[in-house]
Amino acid sequence: MLQTIHITHAQKLLTWYDRHHRELPWRVSPAAAKAGKRADPYHVWLSEVMLQQTTVQAVKPYFAKFLTLWPKVTDLAAAPVEDVMAAWAGLGYYARARNLKKCAEAVAAEHRGVFPDTEEGLRALPGIGDYTSAAVSAIAFNRQSAVMDGNVERVISRLYAIDAPLPGSKPAMKARVAELTPTERPGDFAQAMMDLGATICTPKRPACALCPFRDDCLALAEHDPERFPVKAAKKEKPVRFGAVFVAVTPEGEVLLRRRVDSGLLGGMTEVPTTAWTSRIDGGTTTDHAPFPAAWEASGSVTHVFTHFELRLSIFRAKTARVASADGWWEPVTNLEAQALPTVMKKAITQAIPLAFEKSSN
């Protein structure tokens, strides 16, 4: 009886998906799949890594850029890491870019450019965890893997009114997803659950009347779907302080340097900044400037990371080019091509308001 209910749920969802699926550049539509087209594992993996903690609209241009630069996983494996970081700049969570490169290298060197087709084989690759291995296994290889992201958590917690708070309820949710995932079309089922959460079963004001699960949803029966998923009380984010120093030559060059590979924003490009971390403040005055100059206060910027909020005092100086042991001078017109994370772009823009307009022209 229970198995019959699960099959019915899967059938309802797949029927809805066949009609209402999103058209996405990395996706094979149900009609195309029926006609024999298969998903490209490289495209699926690349999109899934990019989509973590990021929206579909934000990812689309990055996905297109990466495929233009590196059409195959072997191309990405052979690319200089600096180029990969520069192409990723602005997408955030930069450890993903470093792991992306390491994973591509492993696929090229250890698997002759062919992705493993099982969850276990995928999970053995650098930077691939439970979620990505399940998603690629299901979507690229049609394996019966239980795929659970934030959208799926929301759908499954409402469907079964799972009132234990996250993250403790994740194992129970995944068990439910595993029960529901069908042997036929498991990849489409996984994508359907994601689409349902993204377009119908939304965090606020879900469109329950349009949902294929509306007759089965326990949260809707309780008239309170927005209560789910239940989340543990959020801890207040700590605030850290630091300073950034934007040095500009008369020729329009800016002093840049590369961060160490490990840690926050590892391997990315920055303007000189003080030694702040998620746990400690950095200096906030010109006493910490990279060299003596007529540094002038240029306001401040705030940037919110996952675990803390950073407030940076901005200082600018017009200066002749000076030697720098750990950096280089880059024309303002070429800043867009550098691997600058969003927080550094904010800081530079605060000191040089038209920096990136000049850079993109």
Side-chain angles (χ1 to χ4, degrees):
M1 177 65 177
L2 188 60
Q3 183 62 30
T4 302
I5 292 173
H6 292 153
I7 292 171
T8 301
H9 283 161
Q11 289 173 339
K12 285 181 178 180
L13 183 63
L14 287 169
T15 299
W16 173 86
Y17 179 72
D18 288 342
R19 285 182 159 189
H20 303 291
H21 62 274
R22 293 179 291 179
E23 296 288 345
L24 301 174
W26 46 82
R27 174 178 287 177
V28 173
S29 69
K34 192 173 182 181
K37 186 175 181 181
R38 296 292 175 261
D40 186 320
Y42 174 48
H43 294 185
V44 175
W45 164 73
L46 182 61
S47 67
E48 288 298 338
V49 174
M50 287 183 167
L51 283 165
Q52 293 168 26
Q53 306 293 331
T54 315
T55 65
V56 165
Q57 289 307 311
V59 163
K60 284 181 179 179
Y62 284 91
F63 180 80
K65 181 198 299 183
F66 266 68
L67 287 191
T68 298
L69 293 170
W70 306 295
K72 299 179 180 178
V73 68
T74 48
D75 299 323
L76 180 59
V81 67
E82 295 81 6
D83 292 354
V84 176
M85 299 304 286
W88 190 277
L91 198 52
Y93 298 91
Y94 295 99
R96 291 182 298 165
R98 297 193 297 275
N99 288 332
L100 191 83
K101 182 71 167 67
K102 291 176 184 176
C103 185
E105 291 169 349
V107 172
E110 300 168 19
H111 300 276
R112 298 182 180 180
V114 178
F115 280 87
D117 63 0
T118 65
E119 261 190 271
E120 294 74 17
L122 289 161
R123 197 181 298 115
L125 293 170
I128 292 189
D130 290 344
Y131 167 75
T132 305
S133 60
V136 176
S137 170
I139 299 168
F141 300 109
N142 227 23
R143 299 281 188 181
Q144 193 181 12
S145 299
V147 182
M148 192 175 74
D149 69 353
N151 285 317
V152 178
E153 286 177 359
R154 190 162 54 255
V155 171
I156 210 74
S157 67
R158 289 173 177 175
L159 180 60
Y160 294 104
I162 298 172
D163 55 10
L166 288 168
S169 57
K170 282 179 182 282
M173 290 186 189
K174 189 160 186 176
R176 291 289 195 176
V177 175
E179 291 169 355
L180 285 179
T181 302
T183 55
E184 297 294 324
R185 301 178 65 191
D188 280 352
F189 177 84
Q191 293 175 104
M193 288 286 278
M194 295 177 195
D195 278 12
L196 188 68
T199 64
I200 300 294
C201 195
T202 51
K204 301 294 182 184
R205 302 183 68 182
C208 297
L210 303 177
C211 181
F213 292 149
R214 60 185 175 275
D215 295 331
D216 312 297
C217 180
L218 296 182
L220 180 60
E222 294 176 4
H223 307 289
D224 195 12
E226 288 187 27
R227 187 168 76 86
F228 300 92
V230 179
K231 297 180 180 179
K234 283 187 177 180
K235 295 181 180 178
E236 190 171 342
K237 289 185 178 182
V239 177
R240 300 297 176 218
F241 296 88
V244 160
F245 302 92
V246 182
V248 187
T249 67
E251 295 77 27
E253 297 171 314
V254 177
L255 180 62
L256 300 179
R257 66 187 188 186
R258 188 173 182 269
R259 292 177 68 87
V260 296
D261 288 333
S262 60
L264 187 66
L265 306 179
M268 300 299 289
T269 301
E270 66 177 7
V271 284
T273 185
T274 54
W276 48 266
T277 71
S278 62
R279 296 179 297 278
I280 61 171
D281 295 332
T284 58
T285 69
T286 55
D287 293 340
H288 301 272
F291 55 84
W295 296 101
E296 297 180 352
S298 296
S300 63
V301 296
T302 297
H303 187 78
V304 180
F305 290 94
T306 306
H307 302 299
F308 72 106
E309 177 181 304
L310 176 64
R311 298 178 187 176
L312 292 173
S313 300
I314 313 300
F315 297 95
R316 172 179 170 165
K318 293 181 180 179
T319 178
R321 180 194 278 225
V322 297
S324 176
D326 64 345
W328 71 95
W329 294 89
E330 191 71 43
V332 172
T333 52
N334 199 36
L335 288 178
E336 194 64 59
Q338 307 307 306
L340 289 159
T342 300
V343 63
M344 291 299 154
K345 288 185 176 181
K346 284 182 181 180
I348 293 170
T349 300
Q350 180 66 30
I352 312 172
L354 298 179
F356 291 95
E357 281 80 354
K358 293 176 183 177
S359 179
S360 60
N361 290 335

